[in-house]
Amino acid sequence: MRLIITSILTMLFVATSVNAQNLSLKKTNRLFKDQAYKEAIENYENLKQTEQVLKNLGDSYYFTGDMAKAAFTYSKIEDNYGAIEDYDRIYRYAQSLLALEDYDKADRYLLYYHGKDWNTKEYIKELKKITPHNFNVATVNNQGTNSDFGMTFLNANQVVFASSRNLDRPVYAWNGLPYLDLYKATIDEYGTLGNIEPFSEVNTNLHESNAVFTNNGTVMYFNRNNENRVKIDDSRVSNMKIYKAELIESKWTNVEALSFNNDMYSVQHPAISKDGKTLYFSSDMPGGFGGFDLYKVAINEDGTYGTPQNLGKEINTPHLDQFPYMSDINTLYYATNGKQGVGGLDIHRSDLVNGEFTTPINLGTTINSSRDDFAYIVNEKTDKVFFSSNRSGIDKLYQSVREDNILTKYAVSGVVQDSISGKLLPGSLVSLLDEREILIDDMIVGKDASYFFKLDPNKKYTIRGTRKLYIPQNVQFSTDKNGSISHDIMLTMLSYQDAEETIKPDRKGDVQVELDQIFFDFDKAVIKPEAAKTLDKLVTIMKKYPAMYIEVSSHTDARGTSEYNLELSNKRAASTMEYLVSRGVERRRLRSIGYGEMQPLNNCVSEGMCSEDEYRINRRCEFKIVK
């Protein structure tokens, strides 16, 4: 009886435990759907590690910035349940590996995700030569901080930023930190913040962040989340909106949401053009490229707004494109994790030229870390920079004075032209070689016949121009202490025709080495002594120009069958080529071909109509320059 009772109690305990597990899982999944990731993590860590639990747990770590635990959890999915098949999760796994600087493994997943080669180490190496500035980054001196980001200039001596330092505020379920407020502070020449106080005119019980001010300081735009959550894809979401405030009699008032906000998607991260006529922002509104895209909208004279316009595929990606900032010289700075980078959000720049944005440039590893780097602002005159990053594990404010990247100055450029006429030579091949003459890079020049290559310091190089029917030109130079940083090298190429009197175009327009004709005895393919003397002149020319390639062609007269004459001409061409090889010309620079009786120099096109001397004219070899 005791055994039966014990068994029943055990069964009841197991049933109760399973039921509790199911209830807890259901509750935790709801927390996950509602983006309450901090609490979801605490629950998932204590639940049975099924495949779905691990997926949600890994994503929760990822969204709260714990990349080490995210990568470890994603790896457990593969170890226990096989390859991750969800593309979005594959991308998150790759990003978490980049954050840990496990580039080789991250690249394997990025290769699978993008379907093309992805070499982060090589990209980082290349960035050192193309990013325009270097940065010496330090944290902003900032007392009482908990988590701060998104600094902006209020005036010459004051800045505004977002912070979760107010511990009396409600806790944000996403990351477990207090809700964000805007703060203002003075800033000295060393980047130290002082007199920090809440921006009380606009702060509410909701999130406020990412403030930006017009040049005259009388209009302010900022983020605030929607007070009410809406249901989107079975999740309750509080989307972000952009608000406007006006400075009237030293007080910020007339706070109102912009007309193109929408409860069903976020509109956030405002940035204003210098003239105050264009507002830039980030949004996941329908019709974009995916994730968050950057948009612009006209600010009309009457205070209304135009229709938001997507900045296009040059700027935007299927992932996160956020935190725009327009500098005083119309340069757009923004953060993205959708382009090749070094991990997380990377800061990029793009110049606005004739109304179009140029291809974005990653600002490089002296400012971008393997984590999120964003909310970049700069004084273009003083080169003083502020930005935000979670490289330490939480969002912090950072500062730097940028300096020109000297490596971007190491370059060689020029044009290719004919040395006699000065005519540009588009279509020429220009090659950059190292000191061992190993090819580094090459290009076919376009209509302007110009070329450009980036260089490394302390190296010796050769720039080489090649073109059909021209003598290749080599120019050696260096970027060591005895050389220059920037080189402008004109490649002036001499054609074979201008170099040698014996090189001329033939009746068909081909360029040939014009020699005394070499003749063959009737029905023979043997090089005669007189022919050898003539061929020795060709040997001399080919040794003088080692890049010259020749087609040796042989022709017969019209006597005999066409099949026999074709075979005979092939033998004569081969015999001629073998003589040239025997005199030291590399075989690879020669090719032989027989044309038989198909290309006579006179009208002796059939047997019995011409004299022996007339037929002999057609028994010849020709030497066409093919390279």
Side-chain angles (χ1 to χ4, degrees):
M1 177 64 71
R2 181 181 298 173
L3 180 61
I4 294 173
I5 293 172
T6 301
S7 298
I8 292 172
L9 290 173
T10 301
M11 291 170 65
L12 287 172
F13 176 77
V14 170
T16 302
S17 297
V18 170
N19 189 50
Q21 167 92 4
N22 290 337
L23 288 174
S24 180
L25 178 58
K26 186 175 181 181
K27 175 186 174 183
T28 306
N29 286 342
R30 172 48 60 188
L31 290 170
F32 178 81
K33 282 188 175 182
D34 290 342
Q35 302 177 343
Y37 298 120
K38 196 70 174 178
E39 189 177 350
I41 288 172
E42 295 172 359
N43 289 2
Y44 280 134
E45 287 177 337
N46 294 308
L47 292 173
K48 183 180 178 181
Q49 304 291 280
T50 65
E51 182 176 8
Q52 191 57 53
V53 165
L54 288 174
K55 287 179 178 179
N56 289 357
L57 179 58
D59 290 347
S60 298
Y61 285 136
Y62 178 84
F63 291 130
T64 54
D66 194 336
M67 296 303 187
K69 287 185 178 179
F72 177 72
T73 305
Y74 290 138
S75 70
K76 285 179 67 176
I77 297 171
E78 288 195 320
D79 293 342
N80 297 328
Y81 299 101
I84 298 172
E85 296 181 353
D86 180 84
Y87 266 72
D88 289 338
R89 193 165 286 110
I90 288 170
Y91 183 79
R92 290 193 284 270
Y93 189 12
Q95 287 295 318
S96 65
L97 291 168
L98 286 178
L100 302 178
E101 300 184 10
D102 189 351
Y103 298 132
D104 292 336
K105 190 172 183 180
D107 286 347
R108 292 199 294 272
Y109 288 94
L110 290 168
L111 166 62
Y112 179 78
Y113 180 84
H114 291 285
K116 61 182 180 181
D117 287 337
W118 208 265
N119 192 324
T120 301
K121 288 180 180 177
E122 281 299 314
Y123 178 73
I124 290 173
K125 190 175 174 183
E126 184 65 20
L127 273 181
K128 294 178 180 178
K129 293 192 292 183
I130 65 173
T131 187
H133 296 101
N134 285 327
F135 302 83
N136 187 11
V137 171
T139 55
V140 169
N141 300 317
N142 183 6
Q143 295 295 321
T145 181
N146 189 23
S147 175
D148 306 328
F149 71 92
M151 182 183 288
T152 190
F153 300 117
L154 175 58
N155 52 47
N157 301 312
Q158 283 188 303
V159 293
V160 175
F161 60 95
S163 177
S164 59
R165 65 182 62 207
N166 186 353
L167 301 180
D168 293 330
R169 299 279 273 114
V171 171
Y172 183 30
W174 182 298
N175 56 16
L177 294 174
Y179 268 51
L180 293 165
D181 283 328
L182 288 172
Y183 287 78
K184 56 185 174 183
T186 58
I187 187 165
D188 64 19
E189 59 181 313
Y190 304 106
T192 300
L193 299 183
N195 304 314
I196 301 172
E197 59 184 51
F199 209 110
S200 57
E201 298 100 318
V202 298
N203 288 335
T204 67
N205 289 329
L206 302 169
H207 284 296
E208 280 84 25
S209 63
N210 295 99
V212 63
F213 301 85
T214 55
N215 277 345
N216 61 13
T218 61
V219 177
M220 168 189 186
Y221 296 92
F222 65 96
N223 287 347
R224 178 183 288 164
N225 68 304
N226 194 10
E227 186 171 4
N228 298 314
R229 286 177 174 259
V230 294
K231 195 170 184 179
I232 300 176
D233 296 332
D234 199 33
S235 297
R236 291 167 58 246
V237 179
S238 174
N239 283 314
M240 300 297 295
K241 296 182 177 182
I242 296 178
Y243 283 74
K244 174 186 175 182
E246 297 176 316
L247 185 62
I248 299 175
E249 296 181 356
S250 301
K251 289 187 178 181
W252 290 98
T253 185
N254 294 339
V255 179
E256 61 179 17
L258 301 192
S259 58
F260 51 86
N261 288 315
N262 193 297
D263 287 348
M264 303 305 292
Y265 52 79
S266 285
V267 177
Q268 60 187 21
H269 305 157
I272 192 78
S273 62
K274 184 180 180 181
D275 61 11
K277 295 180 179 180
T278 305
L279 184 72
Y280 295 86
F281 62 93
S282 179
S283 177
D284 59 348
M285 66 175 61
F289 291 89
F292 276 81
D293 284 359
L294 297 190
Y295 290 81
K296 67 177 181 178
V297 64
I299 304 173
N300 299 322
E301 297 254 347
D302 61 0
T304 61
Y305 301 91
T307 301
Q309 298 178 30
N310 190 292
L311 294 194
K313 64 180 180 179
E314 192 72 63
I315 298 295
N316 291 313
T317 71
H319 298 284
L320 299 181
D321 305 291
Q322 299 177 308
F323 298 97
Y325 171 76
M326 284 298 293
S327 78
D328 288 348
I329 60 171
N330 279 337
T331 296
L332 169 68
Y333 297 90
Y334 73 108
T336 179
N337 65 359
K339 297 182 181 294
Q340 186 162 15
V342 299
L345 292 170
D346 278 1
I347 302 168
H348 288 65
R349 64 172 284 167
S350 174
D351 296 319
L352 183 61
V353 180
N354 296 325
E356 300 291 333
F357 285 103
T358 59
T359 301
I361 300 172
N362 189 303
L363 293 196
T365 56
T366 59
I367 187 169
N368 286 317
S369 69
S370 62
R371 304 295 294 273
D372 289 333
D373 305 285
F374 56 98
Y376 176 102
I377 62 173
V378 61
N379 185 320
E380 297 280 15
K381 292 181 180 178
T382 66
D383 289 320
K384 184 68 176 178
V385 165
F386 295 96
F387 70 102
S388 306
S389 177
N390 66 1
R391 63 187 65 189
S392 69
I394 61 171
D395 293 335
K396 287 186 178 180
L397 300 172
Y398 291 83
Q399 61 181 321
S400 178
V401 175
R402 68 183 185 185
E403 298 177 348
D404 285 344
N405 180 8
I406 189 65
L407 292 183
T408 64
K409 313 298 181 184
Y410 285 93
V412 60
S413 61
V415 298
V416 188
Q417 60 183 179
D418 187 284
S419 63
I420 301 298
S421 68
K423 181 182 177 181
L424 296 178
L425 297 175
S428 300
L429 173 67
V430 181
S431 305
L432 180 69
L433 304 100
D434 66 14
E435 59 186 352
R436 298 167 296 172
E437 295 211 342
I438 294 175
L439 179 68
I440 299 172
D441 200 0
D442 59 15
M443 65 175 293
I444 302 293
V445 299
K447 291 181 180 180
D448 61 357
S450 66
Y451 69 89
F452 177 86
F453 296 108
K454 299 294 297 181
L455 306 173
D456 290 325
N458 301 312
K459 294 285 182 69
K460 292 181 179 179
Y461 293 97
T462 298
I463 196 75
R464 173 178 296 164
T466 54
R467 184 180 178 84
K468 184 178 180 181
L469 307 181
Y470 276 77
I471 303 167
Q473 185 187 16
N474 289 345
V475 178
Q476 294 181 334
F477 63 98
S478 72
T479 57
D480 59 21
K481 64 181 180 179
N482 298 316
S484 301
I485 292 175
S486 180
H487 297 262
D488 188 4
I489 298 176
M490 187 83 69
L491 290 173
T492 53
M493 298 175 62
L494 182 65
S495 71
Y496 288 127
Q497 285 181 246
D498 291 325
E500 299 289 337
E501 290 184 0
T502 56
I503 297 177
K504 299 177 181 178
D506 65 7
R507 65 193 184 283
K508 297 176 292 182
D510 294 325
V511 175
Q512 296 201 11
V513 180
E514 190 176 82
L515 302 173
D516 294 336
Q517 288 193 27
I518 65 169
F519 298 106
F520 293 91
D521 289 334
F522 176 71
D523 203 28
K524 301 292 183 183
V526 177
I527 300 297
K528 301 169 69 175
E530 297 83 357
K533 292 180 182 179
T534 300
L535 290 176
D536 286 342
K537 296 178 182 179
L538 177 60
V539 171
T540 299
I541 289 174
M542 293 195 72
K543 288 184 176 181
K544 184 177 180 181
Y545 304 111
M548 180 184 288
Y549 284 65
I550 292 289
E551 177 190 278
V552 179
S553 60
S554 179
H555 306 263
T556 67
D557 61 37
R559 292 175 293 181
T561 66
S562 57
E563 291 83 1
Y564 176 81
N565 287 333
L566 182 62
E567 181 181 356
L568 178 61
S569 66
N570 278 320
K571 290 179 180 179
R572 287 175 174 174
S575 177
T576 303
M577 187 180 82
E578 290 303 321
Y579 178 83
L580 296 172
V581 171
S582 73
R583 301 293 290 168
V585 178
E586 298 97 323
R587 187 180 298 275
R588 64 183 176 83
R589 297 169 56 200
L590 298 165
R591 70 185 187 202
S592 66
I593 186 170
Y595 288 100
E597 61 188 69
M598 292 183 290
Q599 296 182 5
L601 296 178
N602 54 28
N603 291 322
C604 299
V605 294
S606 61
E607 193 168 358
M609 63 180 296
C610 295
S611 67
E612 172 60 26
D613 287 342
E614 290 173 318
Y615 281 126
R616 186 174 60 181
I617 290 173
N618 292 328
R619 298 195 301 271
R620 69 196 188 276
C621 275
E622 294 176 337
F623 309 97
K624 182 173 73 174
I625 299 175
V626 294
K627 184 177 177 181

